Amino acid sequence: MTITSPHLGSPAVWTDAKLLYALEEVVETELNRHLKVAKDWMPHEYVPWSDGRNFPGLFEDGEAWDKEQSKVTEIGRIALVVNLLTEDNLPSYHHEIASLFGRDGAWGTWVHRWTAEEGRHGIVMRDYLLASRAVDPDKLEAFRMQHMSEGFESDNRHSMLHSVAYVAFQELATRISHRNTGHQSGDPVCDRMLARIATDENLHMVFYRNLLKAAFELAPDLTMQAVRDVVVNFRMPGHGMPGFERFAAQMAIGEVYNMRIHHDDVLQPVLRHLKVMEIDGLGPEGRQAQEELGMFMGGLDAEALKFDEKLAARKARMAARAAG
């Protein structure tokens, strides 16, 4: 891809403003592709409304919540809360990307479209959880208030390239987390709902992944450094919620999201698709970033193997106790 616009100046000195301008045409192409393949859907159609009944409060017939009222598994309940609280911070996410990408042109259209699509996820998940009585509504609201009151600041808000790299991986991570939550939930209705959400997340990943590919063609060294930084320091957007470390550990053991899944199903697919480790013609800083990325991935795979062994041993102990 060759940049000929006189407004860009020398591509050797890339700024966020120059990159935003240079990628505008790619964003428009990807936006049009996305709008052709994305299908609108109605959140209310995925909620088991007939299972719902009044909670205590204004209604005399209100029934207090009890976890036995829902068929959702314990690990499903934990993961659903984490996933919903993550979706709840959409206002902060919108602020971040609107500030970075702008509100004009194709960038602005994408920002608002993405926000509208993501809004459905929080709507349908909360409606499902309340109608099916899968979680304690009082605790859920307390968590939401605490999490949203603290707000969200991205680790990558300093750089447009870092932000694009991050969401290319994060959207896939969110898709995987939703799908695995559905599989582990014990409720086919929940599984169908989360599969629908995961479809959206995958389309969002494709948008950002293709944008990242274009960035590699424009500024390979800077993009390689951004990918290296993002992969090495990756954190899920829900890391600031109350009790996240404990929830994350339970989700790891429950095989909703752990190091092995992160390595095999999130990082590797994006890196392979973009052939990041095969890119040549890099300058010194780009080559160093590529080497460090390769070393990190090898180390992460080794750590994931240790986790796999511990998880297998834990399963064996639990099976032995059950048999005894």
Side-chain angles (χ1 to χ4, degrees):
M1 183 181 298
T2 302
I3 304 301
T4 57
S5 171
H7 301 293
L8 290 176
S10 171
V13 187
W14 286 109
T15 63
D16 277 4
K18 289 180 181 179
L19 283 166
L20 285 167
Y21 186 91
L23 290 168
E24 176 94 21
E25 186 176 340
V26 179
V27 171
E28 184 174 5
T29 298
E30 289 302 312
L31 172 63
N32 290 334
R33 180 197 56 76
H34 176 85
L35 293 175
K36 287 180 180 178
V37 298
K39 295 181 180 179
D40 278 338
W41 54 280
M42 301 297 122
H44 56 267
E45 294 179 356
Y46 288 80
V47 178
W49 298 106
S50 60
D51 291 348
R53 48 202 185 276
N54 293 334
F55 288 103
L58 297 178
F59 301 98
E60 293 182 2
D61 62 343
E63 182 180 350
W65 178 83
D66 187 283
K67 67 179 182 180
E68 299 303 322
Q69 296 165 348
S70 169
K71 64 185 72 173
V72 172
T73 62
E74 183 63 22
I75 187 58
R77 184 176 295 111
I78 291 167
L80 280 163
V81 170
V82 171
N83 290 352
L84 175 56
L85 290 181
T86 300
E87 299 286 356
D88 275 336
N89 252 339
L90 181 61
S92 287
Y93 308 149
H94 174 85
H95 174 75
E96 291 269 351
I97 64 171
S99 298
L100 275 168
F101 301 155
R103 298 171 180 269
D104 301 320
W107 280 105
T109 302
W110 166 254
V111 165
H112 294 302
R113 173 71 190 199
W114 175 87
T115 302
E117 291 184 5
E118 287 287 340
R120 286 182 177 140
H121 303 168
I123 291 170
V124 71
M125 289 179 68
R126 175 164 281 99
D127 286 347
Y128 166 82
L129 290 175
L130 296 180
S132 68
R133 291 186 165 239
V135 299
D136 183 333
D138 294 339
K139 288 185 178 179
L140 181 65
E141 178 60 10
F143 277 147
R144 187 190 71 83
M145 285 297 295
Q146 183 177 347
H147 187 43
M148 290 191 69
S149 295
E150 293 175 359
F152 171 83
E153 286 190 349
S154 170
D155 297 330
N156 304 287
R157 61 189 181 279
H158 63 287
S159 161
M160 173 270 205
L161 265 184
H162 282 71
S163 295
V164 170
Y166 175 74
V167 288
F169 294 104
Q170 181 267 320
E171 292 282 3
L172 182 53
T174 305
R175 174 207 169 199
I176 295 297
S177 181
H178 282 312
R179 284 306 285 125
N180 288 343
T181 298
H183 295 330
Q184 301 285 358
S185 69
D187 182 7
V189 175
C190 180
D191 195 22
R192 286 194 296 271
M193 172 193 68
L194 292 176
R196 176 59 261 186
I197 293 174
T199 299
D200 281 359
E201 303 289 9
N202 195 63
L203 291 177
H204 298 163
M205 179 276 294
V206 171
F207 177 95
Y208 287 119
R209 187 189 64 191
N210 292 350
L211 197 56
L212 189 59
K213 179 181 179 181
F216 265 116
E217 295 173 358
L218 281 172
D221 289 287
L222 286 177
T223 306
M224 186 66 73
Q225 292 172 71
V227 169
R228 183 264 323 269
D229 294 344
V230 164
V231 169
V232 170
N233 300 298
F234 186 90
R235 295 196 296 175
M236 290 293 274
H239 62 79
M241 71 179 60
F244 179 77
E245 290 76 13
R246 183 177 72 257
F247 294 149
Q250 292 170 310
M251 290 168 67
I253 293 171
E255 298 181 89
V256 172
Y257 201 94
N258 54 42
M259 278 192 291
R260 173 54 63 199
I261 293 170
H262 184 60
H263 178 277
D264 290 1
D265 300 337
V266 177
L267 299 181
Q268 283 285 29
V270 175
L271 295 175
R272 276 198 306 265
H273 182 87
L274 298 177
K275 300 181 179 179
V276 171
M277 304 310 298
E278 301 171 28
I279 294 174
D280 54 17
L282 296 166
E285 292 182 339
R287 286 196 302 272
Q288 181 180 350
Q290 190 180 48
E291 291 170 4
E292 290 174 352
L293 178 61
M295 290 174 61
F296 176 82
M297 290 298 293
L300 181 62
D301 188 39
E303 289 297 313
L305 180 59
K306 293 178 183 178
F307 175 83
D308 292 341
E309 293 169 350
K310 290 180 180 179
L311 186 59
R314 184 178 187 276
K315 288 181 178 179
R317 288 195 302 271
M318 293 180 66
R321 285 198 205 104

